[in-house]
């Protein structure tokens, strides 16, 4: 239950004798009991009040109000600039805020919006656009943008980060998965979890009845690896506010951060195992169109293992769905969020995704990509 900051400007000075100057500050639950177990990853960014800030969710099992809270700290001193309390949660069953996605709307290098999910399935939008920190607030008069529940109305916890992209017709696409793998009881949970793409067009999204459903329609095995086919239902943005896909395997959930890349939502899911002699379970590496949530219109995986990716030769023949591009590949152990390494030369349009696995090994998955898509375009000094 603590956050701390170190001055790592000069590695040559990393000695015990200089510890007092390297350690800048520490912010713990003794400073504010609403800071829980700090799973949330902080974002360091310039704020609209002119200071450099640390934006972080409060984490889990806080011993204060039990609410989900966003903390905005001064990056140089650790002082609280603003605390935005959602008011959702209780002392007996504490809520908690996950890793926030921080957005610069106008391109001037400052944090304007932040989105984060909580254990009750709420996706919160925080408005940080004014120059006065006292005016920063929770959007929609304190209501969540969306609350994720399954088809039976059971809340779906959000414990990972959120990806955000501009919607081509205005507003933003807010992309996330649901699921929890924190407590011992989570191992045996069979609740239905989902992937979501919610359009933030300036209004609260009521429920999943205004979303377009995508589904896993079939599976097939090719050269020892199992692949999934996903529907490609069109989203009518005049009447729909996004999409969702229920994960079909019992206990399947999203507990590592998704990646938005080249118009694709890349999400490793987790299916835990209760077998103490097993490697903990397995994962599906899902790749979906970020805007509609359906399958891609081009091959994503090297299905025939020939070292290249071709729409025709890497399509999968599914028993009921026919020949389609695969939207998911099964991995034999629980996988992390992938690190992406772009190919070079003749392979510049390909990508290798490296995933740490619960076996202790690393899985490499060759996939299609986009040439030079991960080149750095600019940088900005914030301190």
């Amino acid at each position: 239950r603590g956050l701390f900051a170190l001055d790592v400007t000069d590695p040559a000075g990393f000695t015990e004798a200089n510890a007092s100057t390297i350690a800048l500050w520490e912010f713990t639950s003794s400073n504010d009991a609403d800071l829980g177990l700090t799973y949330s990853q902080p974002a360091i960014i310039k704020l609209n009040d002119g200071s450099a800030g640390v934006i972080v969710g409060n984490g889990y099992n806080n011993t204060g109000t039990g609410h989900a809270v966003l903390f905005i700290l001064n990056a140089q001193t650790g002082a609280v600039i603003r605390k935005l309390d959602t008011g959702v949660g209780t002392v007996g069953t504490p809520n908690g805020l996950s890793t926030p996605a921080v957005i610069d709307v106008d391109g001037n290098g400052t944090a304007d919006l932040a989105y984060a999910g909580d254990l009750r399935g709420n996706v919160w939008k925080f408005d940080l656009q004014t120059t006065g920190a006292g005016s920063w607030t929770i959007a929609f008069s304190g209501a969540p943008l969306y609350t994720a529940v399954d088809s039976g109305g059971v809340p779906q916890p959000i414990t990972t980060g959120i990806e955000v992209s501009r919607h081509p017709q205005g507003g933003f696409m807010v992309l996330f998965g649901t699921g929890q793998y924190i407590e011992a009881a989570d191992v045996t949970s069979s609740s239905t979890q989902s992937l979501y793409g919610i359009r933030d067009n300036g209004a609260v999204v009521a429920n999943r009845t205004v979303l377009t459903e995508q589904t896993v329609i079939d599976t097939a095995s090719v050269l020892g690896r199992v692949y999934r086919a996903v529907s490609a239902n069109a989203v009518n943005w005049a009447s729909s506010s996004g999409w969702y896909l229920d994960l079909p395997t019992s206990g399947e959930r999203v507990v590592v951060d998704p990646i938005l890349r080249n118009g694709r939502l890349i999400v490793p899911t987790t299916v835990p195992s209760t077998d103490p002699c097993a490697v903990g379970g397995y994962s599906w590496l899902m790749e979906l169109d970020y805007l509609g949530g359906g399958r891609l219109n081009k091959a994503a995986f090297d299905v025939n293992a020939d070292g290249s990716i071709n729409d025709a030769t890497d399509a999968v023949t599914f028993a009921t769905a026919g020949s389609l591009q695969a939207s998911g590949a099964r991995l034999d152990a629980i996988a992390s969020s992938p690190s992406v390494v772009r190919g070079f030369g003749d392979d510049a349009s390909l990508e290798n995704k490296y995933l740490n696995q619960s076996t202790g090994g690393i899985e490499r998955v060759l996939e299609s990509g986009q040439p030079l898509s991960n080149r750095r375009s600019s940088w900005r000094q914030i301190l």
Side-chain angles (χ1 to χ4, degrees):
R1 291 186 171 89
L3 302 166
F4 61 88
L6 304 177
D7 182 351
V8 297
T9 306
D10 183 9
F14 292 179
T15 66
E16 186 71 20
N18 293 334
S20 61
T21 58
I22 294 171
L24 296 179
W25 52 262
E26 188 170 9
F27 179 77
T28 73
S29 57
S30 63
N31 300 109
D32 192 315
D34 279 336
L35 183 68
L37 300 169
T38 50
Y39 280 69
S40 178
Q41 297 296 309
I44 304 174
I45 189 169
K46 188 175 181 180
L47 303 171
N48 281 308
D49 69 349
S51 63
V54 176
I55 302 177
V56 64
N58 68 322
Y60 308 124
N61 290 350
N62 78 74
T63 57
T65 62
H67 296 169
V69 171
L70 186 77
F71 284 108
I72 304 174
L73 310 177
N74 185 293
Q76 295 175 308
T77 67
V80 177
I81 297 175
R82 185 77 165 142
K83 175 183 176 182
L84 294 173
D85 188 342
T86 67
V88 176
T90 65
V91 174
T93 55
N95 196 1
L97 205 66
S98 62
T99 298
V102 182
I103 308 302
D104 175 14
V105 174
D106 53 13
N108 69 346
T110 61
D112 295 317
L113 301 173
Y115 296 86
D118 70 16
L119 293 178
R120 305 291 197 272
N122 299 304
V123 177
W124 301 96
K125 178 182 179 181
F126 302 92
D127 188 345
L128 316 176
Q129 297 181 77
T130 62
T131 56
S135 299
W136 298 343
T137 186
I138 300 173
F140 311 121
S141 301
L145 166 66
Y146 183 76
T147 300
V149 298
D150 65 19
S151 58
V154 178
Q156 299 171 300
I158 303 167
T159 57
T160 67
I162 288 175
E163 286 283 1
V164 181
S165 179
R166 292 188 185 275
H167 191 285
Q169 298 178 18
F172 297 94
M173 283 298 293
V174 181
L175 305 151
F176 61 96
T178 68
Q180 179 175 312
Y181 198 34
I182 300 172
E183 303 174 359
D186 293 338
V187 177
T188 57
S189 173
S190 60
S191 59
T192 299
Q193 304 301 330
S194 309
L195 303 175
Y196 288 93
I198 305 298
R199 184 183 182 185
D200 174 12
N201 202 24
V204 168
V205 177
N207 51 53
R208 61 166 51 196
T209 64
V210 296
L211 305 179
T212 299
E213 182 182 14
Q214 305 289 0
T215 59
V216 174
I217 56 179
D218 208 348
T219 60
S221 180
V222 181
L223 299 179
R225 190 187 290 279
V226 182
Y227 294 92
R228 277 176 169 171
V230 169
S231 61
N233 299 322
V235 179
N236 181 353
W237 293 107
S239 57
S240 181
S241 296
W243 57 265
Y244 72 93
L245 185 152
D246 288 338
L247 300 172
T249 303
S250 177
E252 186 175 2
R253 65 201 75 180
V254 178
V255 294
V256 299
D257 290 344
I259 295 175
L260 179 60
R261 184 174 175 82
N262 300 329
R264 302 178 184 182
L265 181 64
I266 303 165
V267 188
T269 70
T270 295
V271 185
S273 170
T274 58
D275 183 355
C277 298
V279 295
Y282 63 92
S283 290
W284 287 93
L285 179 59
M286 302 294 293
E287 298 222 3
L288 306 171
D289 170 53
Y290 88 102
L291 195 58
R295 66 175 176 271
L296 302 170
N297 59 10
K298 63 178 295 184
F301 303 100
D302 181 18
V303 174
N304 66 356
D306 66 352
S308 63
I309 297 179
N310 179 278
D311 289 350
T313 59
D314 288 306
V316 176
T317 300
F318 296 93
T320 59
S323 180
L324 297 174
Q325 305 301 342
S327 298
R330 177 170 163 162
L331 309 177
D332 292 333
I334 292 177
S336 68
S337 187
S339 296
V340 182
V341 179
R342 177 176 54 83
F344 296 93
D346 294 339
D347 294 330
S349 63
L350 301 180
E351 294 180 345
N352 288 295
K353 290 185 173 63
Y354 293 91
L355 304 99
N356 293 321
Q357 294 198 293
S358 55
T359 57
I362 297 176
E363 175 86 359
R364 180 179 72 89
V365 180
L366 180 66
E367 300 181 16
S368 58
Q370 181 174 320
L372 304 179
S373 60
N374 61 349
R375 173 175 287 179
R376 185 183 70 199
S377 59
S378 65
W379 67 278
R380 181 186 180 100
Q381 184 170 326
I382 63 173
L383 289 176

